[in-house]
Amino acid sequence: HETIEQMLSERRQANPAWVRAQSTPAFSKDDPADFFTDPAVLEEQRRRGAEMVQAIAAAIRAGKTSYTLEAGGEYRIANNKGWRLTGVENFTLHGNGARIWFERNDPADTPMRLFLTRCKHVTFKNLQIDFAPAVFIQGTITKIADDHKTSEMQIDPAWPKVSVQKGAFTIYTPEGEYVHQTRRGMHHHGAELFDGDKLRIRVWSGRRDLAPNFDSDRLAYFGDDYAVKTGYLIGVNYRTSHAVTMSHSEKITFEEVDVWQSPGIVFYEEYGVGGNVYRNCR
């Protein structure tokens, strides 16, 4: 046992993504859904985001093989336009720790994101990707129906107030500890907004391994025995797209890329030769 723990510790310390994670402040459910609320700051980020996209496109047209962002810069791609790179080859973006926000006006819209189409040998290094507003809804479970087919949640103040089509959700204790529920996650048939800031969730109850455990006779498959009850925390994911979509591309490398949230699968590949690399990402 000690040998296994020692091995895990050594591997974690040698993993830059794990080391970066340890330097991140502890999560709080009361944190805002967006780091910036000052309109002037947001507008400046949007201006810089538009300039970044234009500058990188110009560099590619000029035959340059790399572009470096300002260290720690904040770039916001507004109006749910996303960022598309098409037919790019042999190019490296040095993120320098900068963050790129993909912003949409309507929280219910499918988030546009980073698209790579027919690209080859493109590398992204030391970059952060985020979305605004948040691509999930978090809050507190306030009611559970007797038949366990529906539950209700109070949405936390800073999070989107929209209905959600069928998808997945996660549950946490009031202290923020993740509740292992099933091997395949927990799913619902849709979450309907009511009273302006509450969601009524139609729990997927057709199959045992897709529904949360509301009973005290929980099988401790994962080593815990939590039963879902009112007061527990819940996060409802939109599950509508990806953070990065790659199509007909090959040998794309993501190195030390941090994705703070994603509307679904983080890195999605379709068609293409493949050979893509994900190194020290989190």
Side-chain angles (χ1 to χ4, degrees):
H1 178 73
E2 292 180 358
T3 302
I4 293 175
E5 289 299 324
Q6 181 180 0
M7 178 189 70
L8 287 174
S9 178
E10 291 173 353
R11 291 193 176 187
R12 288 176 183 139
Q13 294 297 338
N15 185 336
W18 187 87
V19 173
R20 290 200 309 280
Q22 304 318 297
S23 66
T24 303
F27 172 78
S28 168
K29 76 179 186 68
D30 298 316
D31 285 342
D34 198 333
F35 294 145
F36 305 99
T37 55
D38 185 337
V41 173
L42 293 174
E43 195 56 39
E44 173 64 13
Q45 289 180 1
R46 294 177 187 122
R47 182 189 67 78
R48 297 187 67 189
E51 290 181 350
M52 176 201 71
V53 171
Q54 293 174 0
I56 291 176
I60 293 170
R61 287 195 301 270
K64 295 183 179 180
T65 59
S66 68
Y67 188 91
T68 301
L69 299 180
E70 178 184 337
E74 300 279 349
Y75 302 86
R76 188 171 289 257
I77 299 177
N79 299 320
N80 207 25
K81 293 179 179 178
W83 181 21
R84 299 177 184 272
L85 296 177
T86 303
V88 178
E89 295 189 15
N90 303 311
F91 185 81
T92 297
L93 176 63
H94 296 281
N96 223 353
R99 184 188 305 252
I100 297 178
W101 295 88
F102 291 94
E103 183 181 59
R104 61 200 186 284
N105 299 325
D106 186 344
D109 286 345
T110 298
M112 295 296 103
R113 53 230 179 249
L114 174 59
F115 296 89
L116 300 172
T117 305
R118 295 183 174 84
C119 292
K120 185 176 181 179
H121 288 293
V122 176
T123 298
F124 297 85
K125 288 187 175 182
N126 193 14
L127 184 68
Q128 301 183 66
I129 294 175
D130 214 333
F131 290 82
V135 291
F136 64 96
I137 302 173
Q138 72 175 37
T140 302
I141 297 175
T142 56
K143 183 178 180 181
I144 298 171
D146 292 339
D147 60 7
H148 299 163
K149 291 184 178 180
T150 61
S151 61
E152 295 179 3
M153 66 178 284
Q154 173 68 55
I155 302 174
D156 288 346
W159 262 254
K161 312 298 191 294
V162 293
S163 296
V164 179
Q165 295 181 351
K166 66 180 181 180
F169 60 94
T170 51
I171 292 178
Y172 308 82
T173 68
E175 294 73 35
E177 183 175 352
Y178 176 67
V179 175
H180 292 290
Q181 283 290 305
T182 73
R183 285 169 288 180
R184 298 179 59 193
M186 290 172 284
H187 294 71
H188 62 87
H189 287 291
E192 181 182 3
L193 184 72
F194 70 99
D195 288 350
D197 60 353
K198 300 177 179 63
L199 282 180
R200 184 174 292 109
I201 305 165
R202 292 188 292 132
V203 177
W204 192 311
S205 57
R207 295 177 60 177
R208 178 64 185 88
D209 61 353
L210 295 179
N213 174 57
F214 295 105
D215 303 312
S216 59
D217 61 349
R218 166 85 171 112
L219 294 176
Y221 183 88
F222 291 96
D224 62 42
D225 58 356
Y226 293 117
V228 178
K229 60 190 71 174
T230 58
Y232 273 38
L233 311 178
I234 183 170
V236 180
N237 198 316
Y238 289 14
R239 298 290 296 181
T240 55
S241 60
H242 327 112
V244 179
T245 303
M246 292 169 279
S247 179
H248 298 279
S249 297
E250 59 182 286
K251 295 180 173 62
I252 309 299
T253 298
F254 296 89
E255 183 172 338
E256 295 194 4
V257 173
D258 293 340
V259 179
W260 288 94
Q261 54 178 322
S262 175
I265 296 172
V266 177
F267 299 106
Y268 180 80
E269 306 175 14
E270 60 180 8
Y271 315 115
V273 175
N276 304 312
V277 177
Y278 310 92
R279 183 179 296 116
N280 296 325
C281 297
R282 63 167 183 163

